[in-house]
Amino acid sequence: MPCPTDPALPAAPSSAPPSEFDLIRRHFTRNARHTDLAVGDDAALVRARPGMQLAISTDMLVSGTHFFAGTDPEDLGWKTLAVNVSDLAAMGAEPRWAFLALALPAVDEAWIAAFARGLFACADAFGVDLAGGDTTRGPLNLSLTIVGEVPQGEAVTRAGARPGDDLWISGQPGLAALGLAALRGEVVLNDAGRRHCVAALQRPQPRLALGQALRGL
């Protein structure tokens, strides 16, 4: 992260905002827990553990489509990773590596620092290494690919459902939708209810333990 041939946030004089490489070193470079070579080279080097399959998912969040332009950047950093972790949770996988691609309309270091805090808070909570990615200039767009591991043949897939099966639901469906409606002014909630529902929208909590407990069923 990044590819040095990309025309992304070009280097600038010392009086100008920091370059793409400065931003990556300052905000997105951390010690990796289970990555042989992470941020800073042309590609990451990772190794799957013996007996494991790789589970890979990508989600994109676009300003004005998936989040409001004024969304708190720390919440947005958490959510960008959490929605991908949730995909792995649904398959009973363990998240391991993430690759982040950012399009930024301008270099706003305070915004980037807050976004990185939220992203790494989520990464620390769920044991994910940020292993690479890219940055470029453009309308605010956040794309993240996550790679996880699941024991060979134990992934929980949608193909496992059969007619007549019971449907079990964890948590409380609809909280995030209600939070979105509250932010749009379509419903009025008391303060506690609003905080609870908006938190479900902005800080989703992937159900990793539940997904892994369902392996093999």
Side-chain angles (χ1 to χ4, degrees), residues 101 162 181:
R162 297 289 182 269

Side-chain angles (χ1 to χ4, degrees), residues 186-200:
E186 297 169 355
V187 298
V188 177
L189 306 173
N190 62 34
D191 289 345
R194 182 183 176 93
R195 285 194 300 271
H196 185 52
C197 293
V198 171

